[in-house]
């Protein structure tokens, strides 16, 4: 079984958040400097994860909360409406499948059962899978609230997957690689140009851990073939 992360592995996602954050910052520059706005928004997002989980809805609420704090409650109703509209635009934005994804997924689906394991909002992630037009290549779609070893073990149990015959492919070392290796399964890192601060991993943690790293997803079939040849 080969499982893929979705955001920033199959399609662009982080860039959408960064673009919106830029617009948010521009609107609030009259109240505070850019650095303060970014710092406060990030802190609010992290604090709100336990209340709202990952995704656009939580992000919108975090923008509103940050703006209220930053203006000492003076933010206007119409400005708040602007943030809500940012969120609506984000969920309606076209799903931009990353280069090489379509061909790679199509080729691998002929030999292997494939699945998607993504974290976030169920509604948001399901509509993205549908709009990407990649859905039919995947046997299962799993939306989890966190990607920790217990979440992966629950997936293995649900689908009766042997962890040694499971490979996770994703852009986040913290979510897609480290917890999967901890479960005794295979994990492959595929780089994406930007990583949300919350998903970054201390480089020291990585020194003693070995796993394949790819620059592009279309290198995956060759990697899998060489692992099979080497009986990994
Ligand atoms: Mg991702």
């Amino acid at each position: 079984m080969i499982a893929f992360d979705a955001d920033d592995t199959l399609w662009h996602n982080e860039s959408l958040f960064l673009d919106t954050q830029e617009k948010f910052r521009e609107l609030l520059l009259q109240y505070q400097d850019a650095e303060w706005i970014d710092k406060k928004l990030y802190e609010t997002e992290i604090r709100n994860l336990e209340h709202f989980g990952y995704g656009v809805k939580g992000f919108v609420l975090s923008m509103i909360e940050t703006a209220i704090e930053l203006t000492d409650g003076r933010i206007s109703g119409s400005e708040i409406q602007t943030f809500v509209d940012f969120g609506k635009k984000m969920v309606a934005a076209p799903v931009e499948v990353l280069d090489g994804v379509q061909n790679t997924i199509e080729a691998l689906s002929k030999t292997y059962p494939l699945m998607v394991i993504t974290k976030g909002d169920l509604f948001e992630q399901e509509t993205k899978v549908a709009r990407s037009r990649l859905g039919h290549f995947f046997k299962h779609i799993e939306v989890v609230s966190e990607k920790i070893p217990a979440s992966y073990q629950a997936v293995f149990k649900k689908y009766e997957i042997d962890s040694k015959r499971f490979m996770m492919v994703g852009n986040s070392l913290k979510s897609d690689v480290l917890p999967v290796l901890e479960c005794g399964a295979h994990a492959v890192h595929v780089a994406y140009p930007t990583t949300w601060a919350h998903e970054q991993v201390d480089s020291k943690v990585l020194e003693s851990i070995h796993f394949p790293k790819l620059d592009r997803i279309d290198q995956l079939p060759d990697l899998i073939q060489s692992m099979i040849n080497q009986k990994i």
Side-chain angles (χ1 to χ4, degrees), residues 60-232:
V60 168
L61 291 170
S62 295
M63 283 194 288
I64 294 172
E65 206 180 323
T66 305
I68 291 171
E69 189 186 343
L70 181 143
T71 62
D72 292 322
R74 285 176 287 122
I75 191 89
S76 70
S78 71
E79 283 169 304
I80 289 174
Q81 182 64 52
T82 309
F83 307 144
V84 175
D85 292 342
F86 285 166
K88 287 181 185 169
K89 268 203 185 120
M90 288 174 82
V91 290
V95 173
E96 278 183 68
V97 173
L98 289 162
D99 286 345
V101 164
Q102 173 82 29
N103 291 345
T104 305
I105 299 293
E106 193 171 345
L108 290 172
S109 71
K110 289 177 182 147
T111 315
Y112 302 97
L114 307 182
M115 70 183 294
V116 171
I117 305 180
T118 175
K119 70 180 173 190
D121 182 85
L122 182 63
F123 174 75
E124 234 173 273
Q125 297 305 76
E126 281 183 342
T127 66
K128 278 195 271 185
V129 171
R131 286 182 294 146
S132 73
R133 299 176 189 272
L134 295 171
H136 60 287
F137 293 121
F138 300 103
K139 206 171 164 193
H140 312 293
I141 311 281
E142 275 292 315
V143 182
V144 296
S145 55
E146 275 293 353
K147 281 177 164 172
I148 53 175
S151 330
Y152 286 104
Q153 271 149 2
V155 170
F156 297 162
K157 200 172 168 200
K158 182 173 174 186
Y159 298 109
E160 297 180 337
I161 296 166
D162 174 357
S163 62
K164 292 187 188 64
R165 297 173 61 81
F166 174 89
M167 173 186 274
M168 181 74 197
V169 180
N171 74 298
S172 168
L173 295 166
K174 186 180 170 187
S175 297
D176 305 319
V177 175
L178 299 181
V180 174
L181 294 175
E182 221 178 298
C183 294
H186 299 278
V188 176
H189 182 245
V190 184
Y192 185 79
T194 54
T195 306
W196 185 32
H198 183 62
E199 293 291 326
Q200 283 165 13
V201 175
D202 188 337
S203 59
K204 280 203 184 105
V205 175
L206 299 173
E207 277 169 13
S208 57
I209 304 168
H210 302 283
F211 51 87
K213 302 167 190 84
L214 301 178
D215 297 319
R216 301 188 322 266
I217 203 164
D218 58 11
Q219 299 166 320
L220 187 61
D222 284 347
L223 171 76
I224 292 171
Q225 198 50 53
S226 77
M227 287 172 79
I228 289 170
N229 295 345
Q230 293 171 59
K231 297 193 166 59
I232 294 173

Side-chain angles (χ1 to χ4, degrees), residues 5-9 171-172 176:
D5 165 56
D7 292 337
D8 300 328
T9 297
N171 74 298
S172 168
D176 305 319

